[in-house]
mmCIF file of all heavy atoms in Angstrom:
data_model
loop_
_atom_site.group_PDB
_atom_site.id
_atom_site.type_symbol
_atom_site.label_atom_id
_atom_site.label_comp_id
_atom_site.label_asym_id
_atom_site.label_seq_id
_atom_site.Cartn_x
_atom_site.Cartn_y
_atom_site.Cartn_z
ATOM 1 N N TYR A 4 17.420 -6.154 4.852
ATOM 2 C CA TYR A 4 16.264 -7.054 4.726
ATOM 3 C C TYR A 4 16.176 -8.198 5.598
ATOM 4 O O TYR A 4 15.151 -8.538 6.180
ATOM 5 C CB TYR A 4 16.256 -7.481 3.202
ATOM 6 C CG TYR A 4 15.191 -8.484 2.761
ATOM 7 C CD1 TYR A 4 13.904 -8.082 2.878
ATOM 8 C CD2 TYR A 4 15.585 -9.729 2.366
ATOM 9 C CE1 TYR A 4 12.890 -9.060 2.439
ATOM 10 C CE2 TYR A 4 14.608 -10.666 1.947
ATOM 11 C CZ TYR A 4 13.258 -10.290 1.942
ATOM 12 O OH TYR A 4 12.317 -11.176 1.581
ATOM 13 N N ALA A 208 12.081 -2.162 20.500
ATOM 14 C CA ALA A 208 13.014 -3.220 20.281
ATOM 15 C C ALA A 208 12.844 -3.768 18.882
ATOM 16 O O ALA A 208 13.841 -4.230 18.174
ATOM 17 C CB ALA A 208 12.913 -4.258 21.319
ATOM 18 N N PHE A 218 -0.213 13.335 7.793
ATOM 19 C CA PHE A 218 -1.564 13.510 7.249
ATOM 20 C C PHE A 218 -2.610 13.594 8.402
ATOM 21 O O PHE A 218 -2.759 12.695 9.260
ATOM 22 C CB PHE A 218 -1.964 12.208 6.402
ATOM 23 C CG PHE A 218 -0.962 11.944 5.346
ATOM 24 C CD1 PHE A 218 -0.072 10.930 5.518
ATOM 25 C CD2 PHE A 218 -0.887 12.748 4.245
ATOM 26 C CE1 PHE A 218 0.874 10.578 4.554
ATOM 27 C CE2 PHE A 218 0.088 12.462 3.214
ATOM 28 C CZ PHE A 218 0.934 11.358 3.374
ATOM 29 N N PHE A 233 -6.111 4.902 -7.214
ATOM 30 C CA PHE A 233 -6.690 3.615 -6.729
ATOM 31 C C PHE A 233 -7.936 3.374 -7.566
ATOM 32 O O PHE A 233 -8.166 2.242 -8.055
ATOM 33 C CB PHE A 233 -7.039 3.705 -5.265
ATOM 34 C CG PHE A 233 -5.932 3.996 -4.383
ATOM 35 C CD1 PHE A 233 -6.155 4.443 -3.085
ATOM 36 C CD2 PHE A 233 -4.612 3.741 -4.688
ATOM 37 C CE1 PHE A 233 -5.193 4.717 -2.178
ATOM 38 C CE2 PHE A 233 -3.510 4.022 -3.805
ATOM 39 C CZ PHE A 233 -3.836 4.529 -2.569
ATOM 40 N N PRO A 283 15.660 4.341 -3.074
ATOM 41 C CA PRO A 283 14.239 4.649 -2.668
ATOM 42 C C PRO A 283 13.368 4.741 -3.950
ATOM 43 O O PRO A 283 13.915 4.715 -5.109
ATOM 44 C CB PRO A 283 14.423 6.128 -2.095
ATOM 45 C CG PRO A 283 15.578 6.648 -2.900
ATOM 46 C CD PRO A 283 16.508 5.593 -3.154
ATOM 47 N N PHE A 347 -7.399 2.038 6.312
ATOM 48 C CA PHE A 347 -7.504 0.838 5.406
ATOM 49 C C PHE A 347 -8.946 0.601 4.991
ATOM 50 O O PHE A 347 -9.188 0.052 3.899
ATOM 51 C CB PHE A 347 -6.929 -0.353 6.152
ATOM 52 C CG PHE A 347 -5.462 -0.494 6.123
ATOM 53 C CD1 PHE A 347 -4.658 0.203 7.030
ATOM 54 C CD2 PHE A 347 -4.781 -1.093 5.102
ATOM 55 C CE1 PHE A 347 -3.276 0.054 6.990
ATOM 56 C CE2 PHE A 347 -3.398 -1.201 5.056
ATOM 57 C CZ PHE A 347 -2.639 -0.554 5.982
ATOM 58 N N GLY A 374 -17.094 -2.764 -27.096
ATOM 59 C CA GLY A 374 -15.904 -3.018 -26.316
ATOM 60 C C GLY A 374 -14.722 -2.190 -26.718
ATOM 61 O O GLY A 374 -14.008 -1.643 -25.968
ATOM 62 N N ARG A 431 22.162 33.007 18.124
ATOM 63 C CA ARG A 431 22.613 34.367 18.359
ATOM 64 C C ARG A 431 21.688 35.417 17.792
ATOM 65 O O ARG A 431 21.421 36.460 18.278
ATOM 66 C CB ARG A 431 24.014 34.518 17.822
ATOM 67 C CG ARG A 431 24.684 35.863 18.236
ATOM 68 C CD ARG A 431 26.123 35.810 17.763
ATOM 69 N NE ARG A 431 26.743 37.063 18.184
ATOM 70 C CZ ARG A 431 28.111 37.260 18.022
ATOM 71 N NH1 ARG A 431 28.824 36.337 17.440
ATOM 72 N NH2 ARG A 431 28.666 38.445 18.425
ATOM 73 N N ALA A 436 13.651 27.258 15.781
ATOM 74 C CA ALA A 436 14.201 25.888 15.461
ATOM 75 C C ALA A 436 13.995 25.577 14.029
ATOM 76 O O ALA A 436 14.860 24.952 13.363
ATOM 77 C CB ALA A 436 13.674 24.908 16.430
ATOM 78 N N THR A 457 11.983 17.503 1.993
ATOM 79 C CA THR A 457 12.611 16.963 3.157
ATOM 80 C C THR A 457 11.862 17.309 4.438
ATOM 81 O O THR A 457 11.696 16.476 5.381
ATOM 82 C CB THR A 457 14.055 17.459 3.279
ATOM 83 O OG1 THR A 457 14.821 17.095 2.113
ATOM 84 C CG2 THR A 457 14.786 16.974 4.524
ATOM 85 N N GLU A 483 25.645 35.558 0.865
ATOM 86 C CA GLU A 483 25.920 36.298 2.114
ATOM 87 C C GLU A 483 25.726 35.456 3.420
ATOM 88 O O GLU A 483 26.477 35.605 4.348
ATOM 89 C CB GLU A 483 25.008 37.525 2.184
ATOM 90 C CG GLU A 483 25.393 38.557 1.074
ATOM 91 C CD GLU A 483 24.490 39.839 1.199
ATOM 92 O OE1 GLU A 483 23.938 40.071 2.282
ATOM 93 O OE2 GLU A 483 24.433 40.556 0.229
#
Side-chain angles (χ1 to χ4, degrees):
Y4 174 62
F218 308 105
F233 302 159
F347 280 89
R431 190 171 182 177
T457 302
E483 290 183 19

